[in-house]
Amino acid sequence: MKKEIVNTTQAPAPIGPYNQSVKFGNMLFVSGQIPYDEANKQLINTGISDETHQVMKNIGYILHEAGFTFDNVVKATIFIKDMEDFSAINEVYAQYFNPDTAPARECVQVARLPRDVNIEISVICGK
């Protein structure tokens, strides 16, 4: 198998030596996405719900470019700056997944994230 780089102009460009996602066989590994709106070239910082929606939109753009959907997500990792935001994040996150087939997941609080955002999410998909 050969790895294939999958990027889209709809999601934020990487800010380091990595790609938005890598497809390997029937798997897709999506790099952590932050609440940056590529269309308007601005960081969304209007509250954790808006920020989470933007992160999920960015993930959706990448999934679409690679020929995947949220139904293909098997694992998600959520990094947040404040565990007090956990419930609000879950409310938004749940809108993108069928509860009966939602992916495995962990959510961890961290001291700092790129661009000082409040949330970052990465996913792994399979077909």
Side-chain angles (χ1 to χ4, degrees), residues 3-100:
K3 73 178 184 179
E4 175 187 346
I5 305 304
V6 180
N7 292 317
T8 177
T9 57
Q10 292 181 295
I15 56 176
Y18 60 93
N19 287 289
Q20 290 170 338
S21 70
V22 175
K23 189 174 179 183
F24 189 74
N26 64 348
M27 303 291 294
L28 182 71
F29 301 85
V30 179
S31 295
Q33 295 299 302
I34 63 172
Y36 186 81
D37 181 347
E38 185 64 30
N40 296 310
K41 304 288 187 209
Q42 66 180 0
L43 196 59
I44 304 302
N45 57 7
T46 53
I48 197 63
S49 294
D50 292 342
E51 295 164 31
T52 304
H53 270 298
Q54 186 62 52
V55 168
M56 297 304 286
K57 286 179 192 176
N58 291 342
I59 291 169
Y61 296 142
I62 296 166
L63 296 178
H64 178 76
E65 184 72 21
F68 287 74
T69 70
F70 281 103
D71 288 338
N72 299 121
V73 177
V74 296
K75 180 74 164 58
T77 302
I78 303 175
F79 302 97
I80 58 177
K81 281 176 62 174
D82 188 349
M83 198 56 77
E84 293 296 320
D85 292 332
F86 186 76
S87 293
I89 291 166
N90 276 337
E91 284 182 33
V92 174
Y93 178 90
Q95 295 174 32
Y96 292 83
F97 297 103
N98 177 332
D100 296 328

